[in-house]
Amino acid sequence: MTGTCTFCGIVAGEVPAEIVYSDEHVVAFLDISQATRGHTLVVPREHCRDLTDIGPDRAGLLMRGAVHTAGLLRRALEPGGMNIWHATGATAWQSVFHFHLHLVPRYAPDDLRQAWTHRELPLSSLTPVADQIRTAAEERPDES
């Protein structure tokens, strides 16, 4: 997949990147578009498109690598906090279609804008969508 996927190219060493951590399952590298100092992407070595494609085992290994990398960022850069971000699908702003997590160190409450507006809804208004999700789980209980 290295011919068409930039992140596969980084994993293969064919595309230059500032790699800050790697193991047998993941590669973590600085995002070329730094939202904040130290903004890092964590990707699986094996190509998978998005959250619906990664599978639970690979996702667990990737999260382990993300937690380790977050610790490195915390020790090296001493941010006051950190956001973890993921997007699946173009509608959700995914721009590179190789699963990745963004680790974004935070140095001030206003160094990023919040991605959505919070508005509390009556609990009863959530019942129809919850029922729809539960029905999907009942129809295919073994599929994630």
Side-chain angles (χ1 to χ4, degrees):
M1 192 89 195
T2 58
T4 59
C5 176
T6 301
F7 291 174
C8 284
I10 290 171
V11 168
E14 299 166 358
V15 174
E18 288 295 339
I19 295 172
V20 297
Y21 174 74
S22 67
D23 65 22
E24 62 272 20
H25 305 289
V26 304
V27 175
F29 52 93
L30 294 178
D31 192 317
I32 196 77
S33 301
Q34 293 279 287
T36 64
R37 183 172 174 263
H39 176 179
T40 300
L41 302 180
V42 183
V43 305
R45 285 188 174 274
E46 186 178 323
H47 183 86
C48 55
R49 183 177 171 84
D50 57 32
L51 187 60
T52 63
D53 187 38
I54 191 168
D57 294 336
R58 198 172 350 169
L61 294 168
L62 186 112
M63 184 55 79
R64 186 179 75 190
V67 168
H68 180 79
T69 303
L72 297 175
L73 294 171
R74 186 183 69 239
R75 286 194 306 276
L77 304 176
E78 300 180 345
M82 192 169 313
N83 287 103
I84 186 169
W85 178 265
H86 169 74
T88 284
T91 303
W93 307 318
Q94 184 178 8
S95 58
V96 177
F97 292 89
H98 181 125
F99 183 94
H100 57 287
L101 294 178
H102 294 256
L103 299 177
V104 184
R106 297 294 301 278
Y107 303 98
D110 61 353
D111 57 8
L112 288 179
R113 291 187 181 237
Q114 205 163 351
W116 56 84
T117 304
H118 297 274
R119 61 187 165 102
E120 192 168 328
L121 300 171
L123 184 59
S124 61
S125 72
L126 302 177
T127 302
V129 72
D131 286 344
Q132 190 175 358
I133 296 166
R134 287 188 285 263
T135 298
E138 292 168 4
E139 290 171 357
R140 295 187 178 160
D142 58 343
E143 189 178 307
S144 18

